[in-house]
Structures are given as structure tokens and as C-alpha cells.
Amino acid sequence: MDSTSDEESFVAVADFVATLMNEGQAKTALAENTGSKFLEECTALLAESRFDQYLSKMLLQLDLMFSKSSDKGTSALLGAEADSKQAAHLNTKWSFIADAECVANVLVHCIQRVPAEKVAPAVQAFAAALVAKVCPLVWLQMVVQAVVGRSAWLQLIAIIIICVTWYSPCSWLCRRCRLDPAWLQVDERAEERLGALLNLYGALQAHHTEQRKVLLAAADYARRGPRLAAMLVPAVRGKSNDWVAQWGLDEAQTRELLIALATLVKEYQRLVTAALGLCPAGDTAAITQLRVMAIAAITDFVRNTTLFQADFAASPAVQALANEPATQQVHALFTSMLSGDLASFRAAATTAALEAAGTNADAALSKARMLALLALCGKSSQAEVSYAEVEKALDVPPEAVEFWIVKAIGAKLLEAKIDQVHGVIAVSRCTQRTFGKPEWGMLRTQLDSWIAALKGVQSTIAAHTGNGAAATAALETGMSTLTTTVR
């Protein structure tokens, strides 16, 4: 758009809103009514290039636009009494304005005409206006979740009871009394509001700070309903690392971004691990910021029957849960399960801890045994593990040993060959339950042994062939790469 078409669009939108403001009012020959005054003021602001003030006035009417504009076009606004000439005129004038989303998109374009020093407050006001209206059922769900916990069935039962005993009678009473309280209005334009937020985000390529704030606002808004989350996820999936680099975020800002995205996308575990890994020891503010995520991470690990790696276990935010009375038991259950020590797990698997984690004794014991097998195979420096060792570590009868080994191989947690004759398994790969400094040290030791073996091969080639220069050079390059990776 050039500047002329921009201003024409801005005037057309103001005219459109003015008509919405006059809807239902008695027709008069006088020009002085609410809508005409509004249009006159907006036109004057545009003529003086005061785009920030124009935008402020329009944002005050944003709820009106979303609540009264119709996807059916201008006929719904004019009503049955409008003559054909008036309808044709207005349909031509507003031909590009199909619905509230189009109006919002024109206002998003206005941000680019706002002076640079006023962009930040304008963006903040725009985002706040878009997310201001919340369906009361969203707040009801939040309250219910805080009271009854994470159980979906309990939440559903509580919401049904409240709707039957409170919400429906209140709605009936308001209809009888011709009342329309804001707290009973349901925003049916949530998708359009989120779409406008995403368009606002896209219009701020040159303003990284404001762009990040709009993205956080969009993520918070999308958590209010599954349809909104499904709408936002494709726009944010797999981009967190790019944003961190592009925006030059510090640790606190990166944590904030990862926390916002973690509850929306399927990369949940990766984002949680990354966020908890950005918690310096002794940083009280970071520990407090990550507390809720740390609790969710350990309970999800205990409950999830397909998750066997927890690199976040060493995070100070997770370790701090051991000192809180409300989380001590579930933290003890998590650490004992992750350690692979069946004895300590049985001691920590109290009824209260299992209920706090949202699991049962049988499921938790099954997962603890699998982790015990991984612990046994992972810490062994030798390639073979005996059946007797597995029997002892898992606390199972001899006839159940192969069942657990096959189960681990089937879940791709282990790569091993079973030797039934000698009663051993030859482990070639084992999933690490955590990957911290000890695991890096073990990997370094293994690579050092490989490097030594390669040097032996190099010496053999050099001693027994006169044409081994190329092979020797290739081996030296490989050893250099391995050494650099480990160091």
C-alpha cells in the first residue's frame, strides 16, 4: 500500500466503526451524533498524521468491532429497512472490509505509520485490547482447576455442576430483565483476535522487543482454549532457538519464552529441559519463576510411561522442591525412580506421593523397574550384563528377566543381544536417564579408547604398506575431529 491508499483504508475503517456506533439510534438529519463525531475526530487526526492518537481512539472501539461486525457483510449492519441504493453504496465503500479480522488487520498496518518512539506503547495497547475480553467459562475452568486439581474428569464434573446451578439461572434472569452483563458475554471472535495478534507480530520485524512481547501475549491467549492453541502451534513450533538468537535474549528472557511455549507445543519436554537448564544455582528469582514448570516436569516424568530421560533433574529449580513441604514427597518419588534404586523407590512410593504425581503403584513400579534396568546397563563399563544382575536390580523372579530385557529392546531403550546359554546380554547401546557431567566423562573415556584403537590401525597401515599415506591422513582427520568434539 502507498500512503494515499493507507489513509483511505484508515478513514474507511473509522467510517465503518462510526456506523456500528450509530446502530440502533434514532435517525436524525443532524450530523452531530456519536458516530459522526467519532469519524470527524479520526479524519482530523489522520489529516495531521497523528497515527498513534488515531490508533488509540480505534482501539477503544475494538470490542464493539468484534462484537457487532458480521461475516455476512454490511447488510447485517444496515438492517431490513435500508434501501438498495444505500446498501450498494456502503457495500462498495466497505468492499475490502469483510469482517472484524479485516478491520483489525488495517489497524495493524497503522502501526507502521506510528513514530518510532511511540511504537512500544502503541503495540502494548493494541495487544492488551485484543486479549482483554475473556469468555467467563475460561475463568471458570481456571478456578475449577485450582480447586479440584489436574484431573480432567473432576474438572468436567465441577464445571457441569456450576453451569447447572449458577450459570444457566443467571443467564435466564438476565434475559428476563433485559440485562447484558459483560461477565456473561461469550467472545465468539477469539480466533480473529488471535489472528490479529499474529498479524501484529508479523508487522514488527524491525522491533524485536515489541515482537517478543506480542508473541508472549499470543501464547498466553492461546492457552485459553484448544482451538486457539491449535491455531498458534504451527506458527511457533521449532522456532524457539531461532528467536533466542535473533532477539539476543538473556537467560531470564529465554526462560520466559520457553515457559510460554512449553504448554502449547509437542516439543514440551525439549522446551522444559532447556528452560530448567537456564536456572543458575542460588538464583532465587529464576527458581521462583521456574517452580511451576519444575513441579510439572517431575510429575509428568513419574506419570509418563514412555519417558525415561530427565536431563533437568540437576536443575536448581527441581532440587529446590526437595525443601518444600508441599513437594517433598513427589520429589523424593521422582529422584528415587530416576536413580534406578528399587529399594529407595519402594520407600518413596507412598500413597500421597503417587496421588500427587497422578499415577498408581503398579504403573510407577513398572517404570521404576525399567529405569533400574537402564541404570544397570548404563553404568556398566563392560559389554555384558548377567541375568543374575538384572534379577537383583529389578527385584523380579528369574523367569521374568528376559521379559524385561525384551520389553526394553522393543521400546528402543536398549540395543542388546540375548545369550540364553550363558545367561547374559551383550549391550551395544543404552538410553541414558540423564546426561550431565558424569555421562560426558564416560563418553570422553570411550572416545579416547576409540582414538587409541585408531592410532593402532594407523601404525599398522604405515608399517605394512607403502601406499598408506591417504589412509593415514584420513585416520588423522577422524581422530582430530573426535578429539575436538570431546574436549
Side-chain angles (χ1 to χ4, degrees), residues 32 90 159 337 390 408:
E32 292 298 322
L90 290 177
I159 290 175
M337 177 182 283
V390 175

Side-chain angles (χ1 to χ4, degrees), residues 312-435:
F312 55 80
S315 170
V318 173
Q319 294 178 349
L321 300 178
N323 302 320
E324 297 185 27
T327 56
Q328 276 180 342
Q329 290 185 326
V330 70
H331 180 268
L333 180 64
F334 163 73
T335 54
S336 63
M337 177 182 283
L338 184 62
S339 70
D341 186 344
L342 259 294
S344 63
F345 166 77
R346 291 183 189 277
T350 62
T351 302
L354 293 170
E355 289 180 354
T359 188
N360 57 68
D362 292 337
L365 178 58
S366 177
K367 180 167 183 174
R369 281 180 168 148
M370 188 64 74
L371 286 164
L373 178 59
L374 297 180
L376 174 64
C377 296
K379 70 183 180 182
S380 178
S381 58
Q382 57 191 18
E384 292 185 347
V385 177
S386 69
Y387 279 25
E389 290 176 303
V390 175
E391 178 185 343
K392 181 179 179 181
L394 275 62
D395 190 21
V396 293
E399 59 271 17
V401 169
E402 286 189 3
F403 166 80
W404 286 100
I405 295 171
V406 172
K407 185 176 181 180
I409 294 174
K412 298 184 179 180
L413 299 173
L414 281 180
E415 288 182 6
K417 293 183 178 180
I418 300 175
D419 186 345
Q420 294 178 321
V421 175
H422 297 94
V424 297
I425 56 172
V427 180
S428 56
R429 185 192 65 83
C430 175
T431 298
Q432 296 291 338
R433 295 158 295 129
T434 60
F435 208 92

Side-chain angles (χ1 to χ4, degrees), residues 61-343:
Q61 307 302 326
L62 196 62
D63 283 346
L64 175 69
M65 286 185 274
F66 277 110
S67 62
K68 287 192 175 182
S69 60
S70 171
D71 292 335
K72 297 179 181 179
T74 55
S75 59
L77 300 174
L78 297 174
E81 298 178 0
D83 56 41
S84 58
K85 291 183 178 180
Q86 183 184 19
H89 167 68
L90 290 177
N91 275 317
T92 300
K93 181 169 64 173
W94 295 334
S95 59
F96 71 97
I97 304 177
D99 53 25
E101 185 177 8
C102 293
V103 176
N105 290 342
V106 172
L107 298 183
V108 166
H109 193 66
C110 183
I111 288 287
Q112 299 176 354
R113 305 291 297 277
V114 172
E117 67 276 8
K118 297 181 179 180
V119 168
V123 170
Q124 182 179 1
F126 202 158
L130 286 170
V131 304
K133 189 172 181 181
V134 183
C135 168
L137 290 180
V138 172
W139 290 107
L140 179 60
Q141 183 181 11
M142 293 179 181
V143 172
V144 168
Q145 183 172 354
V147 174
V148 305
R150 298 171 61 89
S151 171
W153 283 108
L154 289 177
Q155 289 182 32
L156 178 61
I157 293 171
I159 290 175
I160 291 174
I161 293 174
I162 293 174
C163 287
V164 171
T165 60
W166 177 81
Y167 192 80
S168 295
C170 285
S171 301
W172 175 84
L173 180 61
C174 288
R175 288 196 300 271
R176 291 286 296 177
C177 299
R178 296 185 179 181
L179 300 176
D180 190 22
W183 46 269
L184 281 179
Q185 293 179 0
V186 177
D187 184 10
E188 298 177 352
R189 301 278 184 170
E191 288 86 354
E192 285 90 339
R193 288 177 180 266
L194 180 57
L197 275 172
L198 293 177
N199 288 331
L200 179 59
Y201 162 85
L204 297 170
Q205 298 295 332
H207 303 275
H208 291 169
T209 300
E210 285 68 40
Q211 193 177 39
R212 177 178 63 87
K213 292 179 180 179
V214 171
L215 177 63
L216 293 174
D220 181 67
Y221 190 71
R223 283 196 293 271
R224 298 176 180 180
R227 287 190 304 174
L228 298 179
M231 180 178 173
L232 181 63
V233 164
V236 303
R237 183 186 291 116
K239 297 181 180 178
S240 58
N241 291 337
D242 294 337
W243 283 323
V244 171
Q246 179 183 351
W247 295 337
L249 303 185
D250 57 27
E251 283 193 352
Q253 292 171 333
T254 302
R255 286 195 301 268
E256 183 182 23
L257 175 65
L258 296 178
I259 290 171
L261 299 180
T263 56
L264 292 174
V265 300
K266 293 182 179 180
E267 305 167 290
Y268 174 77
Q269 287 300 329
R270 182 184 68 81
L271 295 174
V272 166
T273 300
L276 292 174
L278 294 174
C279 183
D283 190 336
T284 306
I287 291 174
T288 302
Q289 181 187 28
L290 292 167
R291 179 182 180 277
V292 174
M293 177 171 281
I295 295 173
I298 65 173
T299 54
D300 186 55
F301 179 84
V302 172
R303 184 174 56 251
N304 193 328
T305 58
T306 63
L307 185 61
F308 294 91
Q309 193 168 14
D311 291 340
F312 55 80
S315 170
V318 173
Q319 294 178 349
L321 300 178
N323 302 320
E324 297 185 27
T327 56
Q328 276 180 342
Q329 290 185 326
V330 70
H331 180 268
L333 180 64
F334 163 73
T335 54
S336 63
M337 177 182 283
L338 184 62
S339 70
D341 186 344
L342 259 294

Side-chain angles (χ1 to χ4, degrees), residues 447 449-460 475 478-479 482:
L447 291 179
S449 66
W450 295 346
I451 290 172
L454 286 174
K455 287 182 177 179
V457 174
Q458 179 187 19
S459 300
T460 302
L475 286 172
M479 287 188 292
L482 286 173

